[in-house]
Amino acid sequence: MANIDPTRMYKRPMPSARSGAIYNAFSYATKIDAEAVAVFIASHTEPGGAVLDVFGGSGTTGIAASLCDRPTDRMRRLARDAGVTPAWGPRKAVVYELSSVGALLGQVMANPPDPNEFTTAAHQILQAATDAFGWAYAAMSPDGKPGRIRHVIWSEVLKTPCCGHHVTLWDAAIELDPLVFSTSFTCPNCSARADVAGCAREMRTATDPLTAERIVQRVRRPVRVYGESSNRTWSRPPTDEDLALIGEVEATPIGSGTPTGSIHWGDLHRSGYHAGISRFHHLYTARNLRAVAELWRRADEYNGTLGDALRLLVLSYNASHSSLLTRVVVKKGQKDFVVSGAQTGVLYISGLPVEKNVLAGVGRKVKTFAEAFALTYGSRSEVEVINGSSTHLHLPDNSVDYVFTDPPFGDFIPYAEVNQVNEAWLGKLTDRTAEVIVSPSQGKGVDEYARLMAQVFSEVARVMRPTGCATVVFHASKPAVWHALGDAFSRNALAVDRTSVLDKTQVSFKQVVHEGGTRGDALFLLRPVEGAPIGAAADVDSLDDVVAALESAAAGDPDELVPRRMYSRYVARCVEARVPVDVTASEFYAHVSGARSVQGVA
């Protein structure tokens, strides 16, 4: 049987890793650790128990339900460290997800095809695509040996303010071995100094080859080719042969299934680097658009679960590595750039976008997918993934034993806008009218967000058994968003029984750079209570008293004394006590820093 007191697992932060085959198979914003979630499910329910997730995201709860029947060694260690004794075995899970790509991801990962059949089919479509289009990635090494492209760095073209001279960003600002990325340069034409940020970007007017529209776009040129020949890697400037190959690619017909529809720009649109990018195919180089289309056409020849898995494989490399969203990063002490993927949760296009070899990249993903599928294939758990809004659930009253969910964090990630790059290939974009989000472009403020959040938790309260419970993961830096969450709990008679922290061992890029980002997400254990609203709020302590209490509770644990962790604890306490969150994360950090400065504490 499950642990008789699963609340023990809320006494200390639950580690949430950002590694492993399941995590690495597909990049998805704010994805959390399925193995950690499985420990929660198996500790709060018995085998056969009904589990629900109303904000499915990447399908983590469904994947976790499948893992409950196939516990990994790490899951057993997590349970032991948390002081609980889960009842491993199959569960029945229902996952609601508004995004079509999120729903596909959850469905495939929780109910995968045979890993061996998948591997065979994946290699078949890759070989067929390589036979048909591999020539487009051919390149000669600097010493004249035939090889293939690994990736190509492209560059925007600057127009100097001094004399209007055109020069690539690469030539103006980049030096290699050691790598130097300068913010200013000497104009090659008139020798005046110019700031990169002060330079206009060269634009061009052209006819879109796929829509016949006249478009104005930023000019981008290939500036560095990276390849391999005879298992040796190399890099060099582009040659006339490279440029001729690009011209040949541009003249190659493209598959009819390629998405050419309009991008639904919203909160992420920037008039600068998104200039002229109005349709989905504008997000790719000519070569990579055709490579993705070739793979997509061949994956589409398969039906059922195997076909879904092959399409997911292609999409796993699409938005994050196949498009102009792919970028290079500067790391101290390096001789050259480090190639990365797209920044998670944004649609940023750098001045030096990267064109990766799509065929080679997708090929490298096959093993990771097969390893992930092996973890859940054959599980006796039943996982149903519904691509739709959770404001109206199809489930009967009092039918769910446990809910684990990770709601959208206000305006933190505009999921529909981010996911559309992959959803365009599926032919089904997210219905934004039902998206629970704070979004100026959608005309949704905190009030609209709170209304939708309350609707969802009204459904949670309706379907949850009187003996059931829910674990909610949340992260925000703005008091109004926290108030919306707390109000959704209280008006639906869901009482906070315990609080804790989900400790992300590696925080996301967005959490690092977001103003007032927190370290770790708050965890709430909710239980239904009779009547609504729940009783009066507790008295409000001063912020000084709250900080002092948190530092005292930390008992010298350095992780608990980190201001970002303390803020997660602070807001969790506020929601539990039904008192307002009075300060933003950045204000809280400043208060802690000021108090420690007065006390002479580092």
Side-chain angles (χ1 to χ4, degrees), residues 288-306:
N288 278 7
L289 180 65
R290 285 158 175 78
V292 175
E294 185 69 30
L295 286 169
W296 190 258
R297 180 177 68 84
R298 296 183 183 281
D300 238 8
E301 295 173 356
Y302 290 79
N303 298 316
T305 302
L306 184 56

Side-chain angles (χ1 to χ4, degrees), residues 537-543 545-546 570 574 577-582:
D539 293 334
V540 180
D541 291 330
S542 71
L543 189 56
D545 290 338
V546 170
Y570 159 66
C574 288
R578 297 188 59 239
V579 300
V581 176
D582 288 327

Side-chain angles (χ1 to χ4, degrees), residues 472 474 479 481-490 494-499 522-526 534 537-538 568-581:
V472 178
F474 203 73
V481 175
W482 282 109
H483 176 75
L485 180 74
D487 187 60
F489 294 167
S490 61
L494 296 170
V496 178
D497 184 55
R498 294 286 191 281
T499 64
L523 278 176
F524 300 93
L525 176 62
L526 308 179
I534 299 170
S568 294
R569 294 288 193 187
Y570 159 66
V571 294
R573 288 189 176 197
C574 288
V575 173
E576 180 179 13
R578 297 188 59 239
V579 300
V581 176

Side-chain angles (χ1 to χ4, degrees), residues 446-496:
V446 174
D447 289 345
E448 289 75 17
Y449 172 81
R451 177 180 57 80
L452 288 167
M453 186 75 82
Q455 278 186 258
V456 172
F457 278 96
S458 173
E459 285 291 272
V460 169
R462 177 183 67 80
V463 303
M464 191 187 299
R465 300 188 200 277
T467 56
C469 59
T471 301
V472 178
V473 182
F474 203 73
H475 162 95
S477 61
K478 298 176 182 178
V481 175
W482 282 109
H483 176 75
L485 180 74
D487 187 60
F489 294 167
S490 61
R491 71 165 55 189
N492 291 300
L494 296 170
V496 178

